[in-house]
């Protein structure tokens, strides 16, 4: 059941993120990238196999049984990925504001479509 | 791990990192001091890179285990011939761009030197790392620095181009993460050597997942390497960037090429796995499409910076197609071509700015459109005997011609040797496939296109009958161009040594067993 929920969550986030990424407004693109990065972060955790009630660190006195432990590596990876995507999103927001100020529009091409 | 030489492999990462941190402490207004620190660090970096190339060439692959943890658990830096030469190339371009910027560009915006140092950290780390996830981290580091550098000097055009550049690369980074985590899910490791080892033992049921992960990684790399149809961001962004920045960026797309070369040969190399060469066809046809697109772009460009940008695409296409061909002789020629074309394009970006400064704005647009409409209304230049050519213009002209020769692959400069060795390596294969013929044809055509485009621009710039404006060029600006071109010339003179080095590098790449054993060897 857990697997289905996680898979659905990743799927919905990816689909919404991709749709937003292809929209013409910079704000939509930023939100789309954020949603996509949430999906990717969930995906990385899932790739370390989903485990409930398993710690990623060896506790004193409980012995070293790999079967009772969650894989710590994807958790470390996802931490790095979160930090990096957070930093990149804030950097993108700055550029977005600069673009809005300089071009006078929030279209990703810096000019409106001739519609 | 006792002598200093053992730590050489980490110097290219640590030195710019420390310099960047130090530069942050220096007040923004003290340009001379910042320039001095940056210049010192770059010189040291150059020396360290040359040392690394020499020691790797003499003693073979060096593995640097951070914290002395054994390989699959700890993080490793691996310096082999390919990594070492890429680090050296990055140091050369970084130094050239930085020196050029000292004339005035580094005052055009805040923290130019810091960003350049961090760009070098990312580049060197990406070239040296032996771990897929660290490759991601260093990619992000170099991209973050490159976003800010692309914006250096600000202005509407740069902001608009950078917005596209940042969004595309962020999306590609997400693909990178998906690919890396898929590889981890299937193989249980992210160490490249360990991955290569385990790749052959993956169960048939999981193989599709493994290949999907590798393919996603490949797409992320190819966005950086600018393979058609993932390349439309490149000419615009680089044309908008400041000249010294664009010159340093000439190596950014080569990071993607490097990553493709490294991972494709490790993960699907002939003797390691059942997935042998599963992406080769995609690389060959993608490379050829890039090459075609680049050739058309070079011919159609209205502006010299776009000629340089499309030349980068031509070079990326050639390299990708050559990597896809999958023979060690072709790879060796491709590596020589990589170094030469990167130096040539970098010099061209620097030169363009010097040239543009000395002539009327918009003259290059005329270069293309005037031909279409005919030159009828132009007055005949008066006969003059013994025109005095100003020295600066003469130097610029000679440098421009040299750049054109390198890019077009005409003798005597090394562009010719690079293309010639590519062609001869392709012809030496046992069976010459249709794609090989297509590549040979396109290679020749790309030379012709570069000759036409550069010739057209050169005639308009240096021989046009308009009122000559005497170019003002400072020594510190022409020196990096001269240095880059001198390196090209020395690559011709020392072609034997260079080709021997690249042959060894390519052979080691095509027989990854040595790399894997060196990394995995317990200490």
């Amino acid at each position: 059941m857990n697997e289905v929920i996680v898979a659905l969550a990743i799927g919905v986030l990816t689909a919404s993120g991709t749709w937003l990424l292809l929209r013409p407004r910079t704000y939509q693109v930023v939100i789309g990238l954020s949603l996509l990065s949430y999906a990717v972060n969930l995906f990385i955790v899932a790739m370390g196999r989903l485990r409930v009630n398993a710690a990623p660190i060896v506790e004193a006195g409980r012995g070293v049984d790999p079967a009772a432990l969650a894989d710590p590596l994807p958790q470390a990876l996802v931490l790095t990925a979160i930090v990096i995507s957070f930093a990149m999103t804030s950097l993108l927001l700055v550029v977005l504001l600069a673009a809005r100020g300089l071009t006078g529009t929030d279209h990703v091409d810096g000019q409106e479509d001739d519609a | 791990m006792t002598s200093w030489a053992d730590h050489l492999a980490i110097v290219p990462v640590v030195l710019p990192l420390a310099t960047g941190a130090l530069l942050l402490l220096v007040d923004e207004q003290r340009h001379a001091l910042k320039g001095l620190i940056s210049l010192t660090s770059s010189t040291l970096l150059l020396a360290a890179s040359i040392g690394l190339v020499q020691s790797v060439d003499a003693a073979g692959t060096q593995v640097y285990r951070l914290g002395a943890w054994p390989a699959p658990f700890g993080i490793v830096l691996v310096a082999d011939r390919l990594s070492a030469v890429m680090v050296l190339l990055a140091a050369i371009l970084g130094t050239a761009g930085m020196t050029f910027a000292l004339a005035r560009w580094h005052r055009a915006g805040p923290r130019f030197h810091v960003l350049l140092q961090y760009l070098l950290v990312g580049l060197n780390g990406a070239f040296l790392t032996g771990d897929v996830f660290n490759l991601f981290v260093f990619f992000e580091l170099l991209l973050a620095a490159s976003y800010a550098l692309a914006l250096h000097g600000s202005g509407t055009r740069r902001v608009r181009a950078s917005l596209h550049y940042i969004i595309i690369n962020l999306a590609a980074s997400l693909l990178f993460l998906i690919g890396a985590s898929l590889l981890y899910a299937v193989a249980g490791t992210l160490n490249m050597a360990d991955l290569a080892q385990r790749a052959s033992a993956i169960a048939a049921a999981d193989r599709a997942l493994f290949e999907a992960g590798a393919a996603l990684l490949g797409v992320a790399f190819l966005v950086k390497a600018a393979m058609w149809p993932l390349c439309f961001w490149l000419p615009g962004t680089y044309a908008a960037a400041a000249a010294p920045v664009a010159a340093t960026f000439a190596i950014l797309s080569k990071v993607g090429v490097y990553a493709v070369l490294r991972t494709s040969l490790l993960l699907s190399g002939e003797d390691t796995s059942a997935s042998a060469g599963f992406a080769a066809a995609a690389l060959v046809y993608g490379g050829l499409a890039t090459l075609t697109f680049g050739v058309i772009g070079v011919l159609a460009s209205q502006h010299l910076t776009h000629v340089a940008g499309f030349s980068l695409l031509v070079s990326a296409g050639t390299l990708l197609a050559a990597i896809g061909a999958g023979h060690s002789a072709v790879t060796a020629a491709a590596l020589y071509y990589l170094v030469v074309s990167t130096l040539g394009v970098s010099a061209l970006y620097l030169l363009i700015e010097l040239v543009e400064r000395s002539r009327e704005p918009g003259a290059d647009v005329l270069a293309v459109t005037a031909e279409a409409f005919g030159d009828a209304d132009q007055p005949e230049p008066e006969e003059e005997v013994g025109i005095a050519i100003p020295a600066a213009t003469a130097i610029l002209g000679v440098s421009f011609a040299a750049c054109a020769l390198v890019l077009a692959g005409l003798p005597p400069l090394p562009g010719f040797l690079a293309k010639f060795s590519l062609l001869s390596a392709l012809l030496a294969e046992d069976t010459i496939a249709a794609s090989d013929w297509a590549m040979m044809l396109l290679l020749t055509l790309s030379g012709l296109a570069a000759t036409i485009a550069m010739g057209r621009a050169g005639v308009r710039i240096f021989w046009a009958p308009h009122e000559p404006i005497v170019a003002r060029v400072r020594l510190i600006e022409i020196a990096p161009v001269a240095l880059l071109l001198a390196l090209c010339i020395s690559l011709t003179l020392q072609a034997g040594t260079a080709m021997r080095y690249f042959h060894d590098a390519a052979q080691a790449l095509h027989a990854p067993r040595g790399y894997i054993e060196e990394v995995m060897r317990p200490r």
Side-chain angles (χ1 to χ4, degrees), chain A residues 12-32:
Chain A
V12 169
L13 282 172
T14 311
S16 330
T18 311
W19 189 75
L20 282 172
L21 186 64
L22 301 174
R23 303 297 302 157
R25 304 284 147 208
T26 46
Y27 185 69
Q28 291 168 317
V29 171
V30 172
I31 298 296

Side-chain angles (χ1 to χ4, degrees), chain B residues 2-377:
Chain B
T2 43
S3 83
W4 277 100
D6 290 334
H7 295 280
L8 200 55
I10 202 169
V11 171
V13 180
V14 170
L15 181 67
L17 191 71
T19 313
L22 179 67
L23 282 169
L24 271 178
L25 301 177
V26 180
D27 186 71
E28 199 50 45
Q29 298 306 314
R30 304 185 64 181
H31 296 296
L33 181 61
K34 288 202 144 189
L36 189 68
I37 296 176
S38 203
L39 195 62
T40 316
S41 157
S42 297
T43 316
L44 288 175
L45 182 62
L46 265 181
S49 315
I50 293 171
L52 191 62
V53 167
Q54 280 173 345
S55 83
V56 165
D57 195 31
T61 307
Q62 282 185 17
V63 182
Y64 189 86
R65 294 173 175 78
L66 288 149
W69 288 88
F73 308 109
I75 288 168
V76 289
L77 295 182
V78 187
D80 63 354
R81 287 193 179 84
L82 174 63
S83 310
V85 82
M86 295 304 286
V87 166
L88 178 59
L89 193 58
I92 291 169
L93 293 199
T95 311
M98 201 271 299
T99 317
F100 186 91
L102 284 179
R104 62 193 192 101
W105 268 112
H106 72 138
R107 279 183 239 109
R111 282 172 277 281
F112 174 83
H113 291 295
V114 179
L115 291 169
L116 195 68
Q117 293 297 329
Y118 282 116
L119 185 74
L120 286 174
V121 176
L123 280 169
N124 292 339
F127 292 140
L128 287 170
T129 184
D131 181 286
V132 175
F133 198 78
N134 273 312
L135 187 60
F136 167 75
V137 174
F138 282 121
F139 255 100
E140 289 305 306
L141 196 57
L142 81 88
L143 286 172
S146 79
Y147 301 151
L149 279 175
L151 285 165
H152 185 73
S154 195
T156 312
R157 190 153 158 258
R158 291 201 180 109
V159 170
R160 196 184 293 169
S162 295
L163 194 62
H164 295 177
Y165 174 62
I166 297 175
I167 292 171
I168 287 167
N169 276 301
L170 284 183
S173 301
L174 294 175
L175 287 179
F176 194 143
L177 279 175
I178 298 177
S181 54
L182 269 175
L183 288 189
Y184 181 76
V186 178
T189 181
L190 284 170
N191 182 295
M192 289 186 206
D194 202 18
L195 265 179
Q197 231 175 14
R198 296 191 189 190
S200 47
I202 287 169
D206 290 338
R207 183 151 294 281
L209 210 54
F210 186 77
E211 288 182 0
L216 278 169
L217 270 189
V219 172
F221 296 153
L222 289 173
V223 171
K224 269 102 184 169
M227 182 171 94
W228 188 89
L230 308 168
C231 61
F232 303 116
W233 56 270
L234 190 142
T237 311
Y238 284 25
V245 172
T248 317
F249 277 14
I251 199 169
L252 282 200
S253 64
K254 303 299 182 288
V255 184
V257 172
Y258 163 84
V260 167
L261 182 61
R262 169 76 72 204
T263 49
S264 72
L265 286 177
L266 264 181
L267 295 187
S268 61
E270 314 266 342
D271 60 337
T272 50
S273 92
S275 315
F278 86 101
L283 280 181
V284 169
Y285 292 111
L288 292 180
T290 317
L291 197 48
T292 316
F293 181 70
V295 167
I296 296 172
V298 164
L299 280 179
S301 292
Q302 294 268 12
H303 197 278
L304 263 179
T305 45
H306 279 92
V307 172
F310 282 105
S311 301
L312 275 178
L313 291 187
V314 167
S315 131
T318 310
L319 289 168
L320 290 173
I323 292 170
H327 293 275
S328 101
V330 183
T331 311
L335 291 178
Y336 186 74
Y337 177 80
L338 186 155
V339 173
V340 169
S341 66
T342 311
L343 291 174
V345 174
S346 181
L348 182 60
Y349 269 119
L350 294 181
L351 202 55
I352 287 169
E353 202 207 62
L354 300 180
V355 169
E356 307 260 287
R357 208 181 288 168
S358 66
R359 67 203 180 105
E360 312 166 53
D364 41 4
V365 177
L366 276 176
V368 175
T369 40
E371 271 167 31
F373 292 106
D375 289 296
D377 55 345

